[in-house]
Amino acid sequence: MKSIDDILRQIADGTIREDASVEMKRCIPNKDMLAKVLVGLANAGGGHLIIGIEESADGCKTVGLRGREGVAIRMVETVCDEFSIHINTNIKKTNVKGNDILIVEIHPLNAVTYYSRPSSPERLYAYTRNEHGSTQK
């Protein structure tokens, strides 16, 4: 997993790219997408979600949160709280090229978590898996 300093350097010079440990979003994703990204990165051994940046063919560009960083932080915290598996995150607000962005560091899980959507759209489920089998959380 890349360090925050490496990520900030790559954002500043426009060379950061999405990969197995980095996900970039132009704006705050909806709750379902946010849950999938957080769980996916935690399952993959940890990583970073960067909100307020977009990737293009010729690099990346900061677009900022436009004053919505508080909403973004609450969304991340709310989704993490809904999973009793405690996805551990560190949230850093920073300014790059005059735009506020959010970098969410997602720590790896001790157990593998599977995200699924039941027939009811109001409910999210997460599953942990260890040597004893799967447990719904």
Side-chain angles (χ1 to χ4, degrees):
M1 186 166 69
K2 297 176 185 177
S3 73
I4 294 284
D5 290 336
D6 288 341
I7 286 174
L8 287 171
R9 190 171 29 261
Q10 290 178 335
I11 291 170
D13 66 20
T15 61
I16 194 159
R17 296 281 189 260
E18 286 190 338
D19 60 28
S21 67
V22 174
E23 176 82 18
M24 293 186 277
K25 296 293 181 192
R26 183 180 214 290
C27 58
I28 305 163
N30 67 43
K31 191 165 106 173
D32 291 341
M33 177 57 68
L34 184 57
K36 288 179 184 180
V37 169
L38 294 174
V39 171
L41 288 169
N43 279 339
H48 297 88
L49 167 63
I50 307 166
I51 304 171
I53 190 168
E54 68 181 356
E55 187 176 26
S56 64
D58 58 345
C60 68
K61 177 174 93 170
T62 58
V63 294
L65 295 167
R66 299 182 178 97
R68 297 187 45 85
E69 51 276 343
V71 172
I73 291 169
R74 282 192 302 280
M75 281 275 290
V76 171
E77 291 170 346
T78 298
V79 168
C80 287
D81 286 345
E82 284 190 16
F83 291 98
S84 61
I85 53 170
H86 308 293
I87 295 173
N88 294 318
T89 62
N90 291 330
I91 302 171
K92 177 180 178 69
K93 177 186 152 192
T94 191
N95 189 287
V96 178
K97 297 182 181 179
N99 291 303
D100 288 330
I101 64 170
L102 213 62
I103 301 175
V104 182
E105 182 179 22
I106 298 100
H107 299 279
L109 295 173
N110 293 330
V112 177
T113 302
Y114 297 97
Y115 170 85
S116 70
R117 184 172 190 74
S119 58
S120 170
E122 289 87 44
R123 183 80 175 146
L124 300 174
Y125 291 95
Y127 293 89
T128 59
R129 181 152 183 88
N130 58 27
E131 66 273 10
H132 303 294
S134 294
T135 305
Q136 181 179 325
K137 297 289 183 175

